[in-house]
Amino acid sequence: MAKQIKKERIKVPEQDPKARIHNFNEVALGYTFELAKEEASRCLQCPYNFAPCIKGCPVNVNIPGFIKKILEEDIKGALEVIHKTNSLPGITGRVCPQEEQCEMNCVMGKLGDKINIGKLERFVADYAREHGIMPETEIAPKNGKRVAIVGSGPAGLTAASDLIKMGYDVTVFEALHEPGGVLIYGIPEFRLPKDIVHYEVKYLKMLGAKIETNVVIGKTKSLYDLAKEYDAVFLGTGAGTPKFLNIPGVNCKGIYSANEFLTRINLMKAFKFPEYDTPIRKGKKLAVIGAGNVAMDAARSALRVGYEEVYILYRRTREYMTAREEEIHHAEEEGVKFMFLVSPVAFIGDEDCNVKVVKLIMNRLGEPDSSGRRRPEPIPGTEFGLEVDAVVFAIGQKPNKVLYQEVPELKTTRWGTLVVDENYRTTMPGVFAGGDAVRGEATVVLAMGDGKRAAKAIDEYIKTGEWPKEIEPHNF
Amino acid sequence: MFEIVDKKVLAPNIKWIRVKAPLVVENARAGQFIVLRLHERGERIPLTLFKWHKEDGTIELVFQEVGKTTYELGSYEPGDKIMDIVGPLGKPTHIENYGTAVVVSGGVGAPIGYAVTRALKEAGNHVVSIIGFRNRQYVILEDEFKKVSDELLITTDDGSYVRKGFTTDVLKEYLENGGRADYVFTVGPVIMMKLIAKITKEYGIKTDASLNPIMVDGTGMCGACRVTVGGEIKFACVDGPDFDAHQVDFDELLMRLTEYKREEREALDRYVKGVH
């Protein structure tokens, strides 16, 4: 008799919205072994060379392969399948937009719900971590060559892990006091517990990667020093410079960039002030400007810091929001309020210039712009005020140009991203770059994919010593 | 971890420490700063570089105990360790031979003023140092300044040492008496820098001020330290900390510095009462 196919996805237990807005604990609790097996049993096990899920994964994890191991109750085996191409499964299982990647073309989608690949990957990583299961990783004998990685975000960590496995001596330089990049300072604890980032970084160190925190390349050491001391350099410096709108009152007190707001909360633990020394502004009403994932993170963090009313102010309509559906849904469940078709035009402060009101103007949607999205156009005479105690700007970030300011041979585009060719080679011989530093703001797993492919290109370069005379800019 | 190797009390609540920070010294230049974090639960605070030594990889810092973190740092003794130090950060002060350079430093701005004075002197300038303090008790670094200045003018607010008056009074007199100034650098309390800038503007003298806004990372990723210069938003940690003093919105800077006044007091109260 043919096996009955379960059409519906096995639900992942979650913390109750009313309870969770008072803590920073993880919202999605993850599968138990039983639930994971049940979900795994739904996978049709498409053959490796065909499986559309593998093609959709930027680091090409053998998805049916690890799912089969879960069914066989071989978690170590599942972990080893994942680790062949992805060293950070506890992270990617949580923060990847799976619906746009591995899960997008899942064949099960034609019969019912797609397989919950992300949560299964997360289950494998969590189960292994909790039970002390380590993957056996093949590491090539040391080849005596040294590679420097600048930035310890997802791109840098992935490149480091792949290069270590190829036998390179790898040193990662990080400007902040903790490695992880956006995984540490940006993505909140309730989506990605910091213990998981620490654990995966520890694993990398165990493989032999050296990580030097508190080093700002371009200040503490120059890029020229690195290029001299190492056989190759990879720049995974991200896009960490926040944008503000230069409108009246933008420097009033209580107005944050999302980076500052989230860094205070995630990296510095300001939500535990005064037990921790870093403060954060408290109040009743907070407005977030923007509607991407960072905006959702900021809004949901604000609730947990104690703000009672939190608004997302977005200049377009709901359908144009760039945040993941899951994050928008979580934000709505938690009581975040959404205002569409509004743009801030000024901030008004009290006599001490504490922000008190955001002055907004209503928009209508006009013709599509270069991104294909309809451009918001302000409607004259529609200004109104929204009372607030704090504001967070989440309107995007650009690469930190300071790092390359004194390196004229390193070319950048007009958006400030580094010019690289399709092999991640920059215009400075021996120096590679990937992740947000070349893409502008993108996703964790795209950065990881870049790190992975750049590691391959670095290996090739060190073996052959070849570098093209001209770099043909590639658009990632 | 960064070990404190020496410590002195320079004045009431003003302390000097020498710390092993070998990575910081290699590229350090006058006008730059470091960010430190004392321990796991600590905050990140900026402190300017007073001196640095390539020979033994140490840096010297001078700080005033004004809040929880600086009081706690003040309680550290040689042998104690600071968890994180990162630097040098910020753009170095632009140094060239201007002819006659006047450096105006107030209070705990003096350590930066000293570093810049020394660099200007080494670049061949005739350097006039004006340093001002609240009263005799708070006078620091006098001998240091003497060694690197061609002229040294000291003042105290209450007249308890050398003369009575503010640094602004001294600068005004100096210029009124025909003193030459091809360049002015100023560092100290915001009000003082604002008034110095006002004077030099009247005389049309190029003036840089070293700004001291609130900072978190110190590497340009958050904008906590944003200031308005010539109508534009600048991040002091990466675009500064020095800016054309005639373009800076000092009132805004002053206002932004009070962002966490209440929290700062709360943290200090807890610390003084021994609640950790």
Side-chain angles (χ1 to χ4, degrees), chain A residues 210-351:
Chain A
K210 289 188 273 292
I211 301 188
E212 293 209 25
T213 51
N214 293 320
V215 179
V216 184
I217 300 303
K219 292 285 175 195
T220 310
K221 258 172 172 307
S222 80
L223 187 53
Y224 295 114
D225 293 337
L226 287 195
K228 241 183 272 158
E229 291 167 31
Y230 292 83
D231 295 288
V233 179
F234 175 75
L235 302 175
T237 45
T241 302
K243 294 180 194 163
F244 290 93
L245 293 174
N246 199 355
I247 55 178
V250 67
N251 292 343
C252 277
K253 289 183 286 183
I255 301 179
Y256 291 98
S257 72
N259 261 6
E260 183 187 350
F261 192 70
L262 291 170
T263 297
R264 283 179 181 272
I265 292 170
N266 297 322
L267 180 69
M268 307 311 296
K269 309 256 179 290
F271 63 91
K272 291 186 182 168
F273 179 87
E275 188 198 328
Y276 280 68
D277 292 340
T278 304
I280 193 152
R281 173 166 286 234
K282 298 272 173 72
K284 287 206 165 99
K285 288 171 88 172
L286 179 142
V288 178
I289 298 162
N293 287 317
V294 176
M296 299 305 134
D297 285 346
R300 298 173 64 200
S301 297
L303 289 172
R304 287 158 173 81
V305 165
Y307 284 90
E308 290 160 18
E309 270 179 73
V310 175
Y311 292 86
I312 291 275
L313 309 178
Y314 184 44
R315 60 195 181 131
R316 291 189 168 97
T317 51
R318 193 193 159 97
E319 60 190 297
Y320 289 109
M321 288 171 76
T322 55
R324 283 183 72 187
E325 199 48 50
E326 185 184 346
E327 303 311 325
I328 298 170
H329 174 68
H330 279 148
E332 279 173 337
E333 271 186 344
E334 291 170 8
V336 172
K337 295 173 177 145
F338 290 76
M339 279 172 83
F340 297 105
L341 291 168
V342 289
S343 295
V345 289
F347 301 98
I348 298 161
D350 63 12
E351 65 279 9

Side-chain angles (χ1 to χ4, degrees), chain A residues 70-372:
Chain A
I70 298 178
L71 276 179
E72 292 166 1
E73 302 192 1
D74 175 9
I75 300 305
K76 182 160 183 274
L79 188 66
E80 282 167 358
V81 170
I82 298 171
H83 262 269
K84 278 211 170 98
T85 58
N86 176 8
S87 303
L88 311 169
I91 294 166
T92 50
R94 287 176 164 83
V95 305
C96 277
Q98 286 97 4
E99 64 277 11
E100 297 165 19
Q101 291 169 332
C102 55
E103 292 173 14
M104 185 149 91
N105 301 314
C106 172
V107 175
M108 265 304 286
K110 291 181 184 141
L111 304 167
D113 292 341
K114 293 162 183 179
I115 304 297
N116 200 340
I117 300 166
K119 295 295 191 293
L120 287 176
E121 182 181 50
R122 167 183 160 171
F123 164 74
V124 171
D126 288 359
Y127 188 90
R129 190 181 65 254
E130 284 155 15
H131 293 80
I133 298 168
M134 289 296 224
E136 269 159 47
T137 314
E138 265 180 59
I139 297 188
K142 286 263 175 220
N143 60 21
K145 301 285 183 186
R146 307 173 73 213
V147 180
I149 305 231
V150 186
S152 66
L157 291 182
T158 306
S161 125
D162 279 30
L163 288 162
I164 283 277
K165 289 183 202 164
M166 293 178 208
Y168 289 95
D169 184 352
V170 177
T171 307
V172 182
F173 296 97
E174 167 57 45
L176 287 172
H177 58 256
E178 263 188 54
V182 75
L183 306 171
I184 281 289
Y185 75 75
I187 302 173
E189 193 91 22
F190 55 83
R191 281 216 290 137
L192 175 63
K194 299 310 152 209
D195 285 349
I196 287 163
V197 184
H198 295 153
Y199 181 84
E200 301 208 343
V201 168
K202 214 167 78 192
Y203 171 73
L204 253 188
K205 284 191 190 163
M206 218 189 63
L207 294 185
K210 289 188 273 292
I211 301 188
E212 293 209 25
T213 51
N214 293 320
V215 179
V216 184
I217 300 303
K219 292 285 175 195
T220 310
K221 258 172 172 307
S222 80
L223 187 53
Y224 295 114
D225 293 337
L226 287 195
K228 241 183 272 158
E229 291 167 31
Y230 292 83
D231 295 288
V233 179
F234 175 75
L235 302 175
T237 45
T241 302
K243 294 180 194 163
F244 290 93
L245 293 174
N246 199 355
I247 55 178
V250 67
N251 292 343
C252 277
K253 289 183 286 183
I255 301 179
Y256 291 98
S257 72
N259 261 6
E260 183 187 350
F261 192 70
L262 291 170
T263 297
R264 283 179 181 272
I265 292 170
N266 297 322
L267 180 69
M268 307 311 296
K269 309 256 179 290
F271 63 91
K272 291 186 182 168
F273 179 87
E275 188 198 328
Y276 280 68
D277 292 340
T278 304
I280 193 152
R281 173 166 286 234
K282 298 272 173 72
K284 287 206 165 99
K285 288 171 88 172
L286 179 142
V288 178
I289 298 162
N293 287 317
V294 176
M296 299 305 134
D297 285 346
R300 298 173 64 200
S301 297
L303 289 172
R304 287 158 173 81
V305 165
Y307 284 90
E308 290 160 18
E309 270 179 73
V310 175
Y311 292 86
I312 291 275
L313 309 178
Y314 184 44
R315 60 195 181 131
R316 291 189 168 97
T317 51
R318 193 193 159 97
E319 60 190 297
Y320 289 109
M321 288 171 76
T322 55
R324 283 183 72 187
E325 199 48 50
E326 185 184 346
E327 303 311 325
I328 298 170
H329 174 68
H330 279 148
E332 279 173 337
E333 271 186 344
E334 291 170 8
V336 172
K337 295 173 177 145
F338 290 76
M339 279 172 83
F340 297 105
L341 291 168
V342 289
S343 295
V345 289
F347 301 98
I348 298 161
D350 63 12
E351 65 279 9
D352 291 323
C353 207
N354 294 294
V355 67
K356 283 292 155 213
V357 173
V358 188
K359 224 172 131 195
L360 295 160
I361 191 162
M362 297 292 299
N363 296 321
R364 62 177 154 240
L365 289 182
E367 293 300 306
D369 62 13
S370 56
S371 73

